[in-house]
Each structure stands twice: as C-alpha cells, then as structure tokens.
Amino acid sequence: MSAKDEPTVDVPSKDSDMDGSGNSEGHGRQSGKQRIIAFSVAGAALVAVVLLVAYLAGAFHQHVWNDPTCTEPKTCSECGAIDGEPLGHDYKSVHKDADCSHGAKTVYTCTRCGDSYDEPDGSEALGHDLKDWELDSSKPKMIQTCKRCGITVHSRACERSDIDRAISAQEVKLDDIHKEVNGDPAHKYLYPDQIWLTVTNDSNRVVRSVELLTCYWDANGYPISCPIRLGGNQDSAILTMGDINLAPGESWRSEDKLKGFNLDGTETGKCASVRGIVRTVSYADGTQWTNPLAKAWEDLYVSKQL
C-alpha cells in the first residue's frame, strides 16, 4: 500500500471548538463573564464608597446662609460654616445736653444693630427743679415733681389740710356748711335747727344740681351719726340740692334762700360741727362731674375724730 493510500485520523487541536458539554472554548467564555461581573461589582462598591465619603465630607450639602451682622460673619444655619468677615458697627454720634440726672455726653449708636455707648464730657447733672407740693388724686398722696423732667421726686401721705386746700380750688365747691340754731328751743319740732350751706359755681356752665357728702361731730370732736331728719342714722349723709340752676360765677346760700336741711329735734343737741364736700355735679347741658377727691376726703374725715 502506498503512502497515498494510507488511512488518516483527524485529531482535534487545542484551539478547536468543543460542544457545550465541557469543551475548552465554552469554559473560557464562562470564566470571562465571571471576571467582568466581579469587576463591575467591585467598581460599583468603590463608587459607592467614594460617594459616601464625599457626602460625609459635605460635597453635596446646600448651605442655608444667614446674612452677616456687625459681630458675626455670613453663617450657614445648618452646618455652621462661615464665609467672609463680620460687617462691623456703623456708629453715628448725637450730643446730649446735661439733664436733671446726667451730665452732657455724646452717645454713639450703631445704625444697623442699635448697639450704643456713651462718652461723658465731664459736665455735672443739673439736679431737679422742684414744684410745690400737689395732690395726686389717683392715690391719693402728696407729690413733688420736677419742672424740667416731670418725674415725681418726693411723695408723702395726704393730710386733711392738703385735701381742704385742693377742694377749695375746684370749680364747684362747698364754701361753707354749718349748723344754724333756731332761737326757740321749745319748738324744735316745728322750727328745727338746720344745716345751712353755701355752694359756689366757678365753672363756665350752669349747675343744675349738686350732691354733697357730709359728716358730723359732737362738742368733743368725736363722730356722731347723722342728725338730719330721715338721714339714715349713718356716720355720713348725702345731701342733694336739686334744680338750683346755679349760673356761672354765682353762689347758692341758705341764708339768702332761707332753706336748709332740718335736723332731728332729739339729735340736734349732739351736733356741734359739720363738714362736707361736693360729691357730684349735674350740669344743665346733661353732663355730670364726679369729684376725684371725694374718696380721699371720706377716708380722712368720716368716722374719724376731728
């Protein structure tokens, strides 16, 4: 048999394809895919770590800035980061003259935040220029105020003389009140003793009626119950003068009118003194005035020894 006629056997080479049951080419492809997946996972993990570090470092933080102030720079309200410098104060000066309590000085005030400080010029305070004592009817008490600054510098308790002086200057006032004795002691029931009075209108309006607060004392200055007929047997009494229509500048006098308030015949002998104050005034124009000193007067006089 010649060489030509010898049979031949095909041997697969290492590089030839194999079937899917485990040939070399299939195994290589599978390993390559696994390496690609591993590299992808590792890359993704690395990217995640880098992003986390960047986040923690603030690379993705959006600052919320507060405006700078005189003393603080521009600052993030969330993380506290700062940017730039504080603005610093912008002071404007104003000269202040000396007053009752302070010497002259220059006051420097920031136009932005209001911070201020003073620089005295060495002059002395003026001190208070006091008014005379006057009655504060809202307390009531006596006060001395300053003519310049108006503050109350001194105060003290109100006395009877203070109240009497104040009510004597009011527009509608009780100028006089006293017990008028009937000369015939045997006929007190028919001709009783009376309380006579004088009311003066120094206002510019017609006074229609007046209400008086009165109280009474015996000869030793001790308070007694009201001796006026049907007066209520109290330590004080309200006397009403109705429809007197008292013109501005005029006075209503019991001695002119021959009118008064009758005293009880059995009680009149006890009464030695009487005091009173205008409590309310009704004017012809429909308005009414209540005396702000009435309560203070009552506290000082009613049920108190003279």
Side-chain angles (χ1 to χ4, degrees):
M1 181 179 294
S2 65
K4 264 192 217 189
D5 299 326
E6 289 180 0
T8 61
V9 178
D10 293 330
V11 179
S13 68
K14 294 181 180 179
D15 295 329
S16 62
D17 292 337
M18 297 185 178
D19 60 22
S21 62
N23 60 59
S24 297
E25 183 175 357
H27 179 72
R29 288 178 180 177
Q30 184 176 3
S31 298
K33 290 180 180 179
Q34 290 175 346
R35 284 195 295 272
I36 292 172
I37 292 173
F39 286 146
S40 298
V41 171
L46 179 61
V47 170
V49 170
V50 171
L51 292 176
L52 177 61
V53 172
Y55 174 78
L56 294 176
F60 302 105
H61 174 63
Q62 295 296 318
H63 292 300
V64 180
W65 294 108
N66 290 331
D67 292 335
T69 66
C70 295
T71 57
E72 299 291 337
K74 182 179 177 182
T75 306
C76 177
S77 62
E78 294 187 355
C79 71
I82 60 175
D83 182 20
E85 300 293 331
L87 299 176
H89 293 295
D90 180 24
Y91 287 111
K92 301 297 182 184
S93 64
V94 177
H95 180 74
K96 298 285 188 179
D97 294 331
D99 58 24
C100 297
S101 305
H102 306 90
K105 60 187 177 182
T106 301
V107 180
Y108 295 87
T109 306
C110 178
T111 59
R112 277 190 289 266
C113 69
D115 180 72
S116 66
Y117 67 94
D118 301 342
E119 287 187 354
D121 69 358
S123 63
E124 298 293 328
L126 301 176
H128 294 296
D129 184 11
L130 296 177
K131 296 180 181 179
D132 292 334
W133 286 95
E134 56 188 353
L135 180 65
D136 180 358
S137 60
S138 64
K139 303 300 180 197
K141 63 181 180 180
M142 297 300 294
I143 59 173
Q144 263 192 313
T145 58
C146 177
K147 295 177 183 178
R148 268 191 298 268
C149 67
I151 70 168
T152 297
V153 181
H154 303 297
S155 65
R156 61 172 175 81
C158 186
E159 300 175 355
R160 286 178 176 176
S161 58
D162 300 321
I163 288 286
D164 293 342
R165 185 166 49 252
I167 63 177
S168 68
Q170 292 181 326
E171 289 185 343
V172 181
K173 54 184 176 290
L174 182 62
D175 280 332
D176 176 64
I177 184 169
H178 66 274
K179 173 184 172 181
E180 184 69 17
V181 178
N182 179 4
D184 186 356
H187 300 89
K188 291 296 183 183
Y189 184 79
L190 293 177
Y191 304 101
D193 296 337
Q194 290 187 321
I195 296 299
W196 279 17
L197 46 85
T198 300
V199 174
T200 299
N201 178 15
D202 286 333
S203 74
N204 57 4
R205 293 176 289 174
V206 174
V207 172
R208 181 172 182 179
S209 62
V210 174
E211 187 179 79
L212 307 173
L213 174 63
T214 60
C215 52
Y216 309 84
W217 292 266
D218 64 16
N220 295 317
Y222 290 101
I224 61 173
S225 298
C226 172
I228 294 179
R229 286 183 182 176
L230 305 177
N233 198 32
Q234 303 295 320
D235 287 350
S236 63
I238 302 298
L239 308 183
T240 302
M241 303 169 61
D243 295 328
I244 59 175
N245 294 322
L246 187 60
E250 294 187 355
S251 297
W252 190 100
R253 297 181 178 87
S254 291
E255 58 185 312
D256 296 336
K257 307 293 185 179
L258 297 179
K259 290 183 179 180
F261 294 88
N262 295 335
L263 297 178
D264 188 287
T266 61
E267 300 293 328
T268 183
K270 299 178 183 178
C271 180
S273 300
V274 56
R275 300 282 181 93
I277 183 175
V278 174
R279 187 166 178 257
T280 62
V281 177
S282 296
Y283 293 96
D285 61 7
T287 60
Q288 189 176 67
W289 173 75
T290 299
N291 195 337
L293 302 181
K295 181 61 170 63
W297 185 92
E298 181 179 1
D299 292 340
L300 289 171
Y301 278 105
V302 175
S303 301
K304 306 291 194 305
Q305 186 177 5
L306 274 178

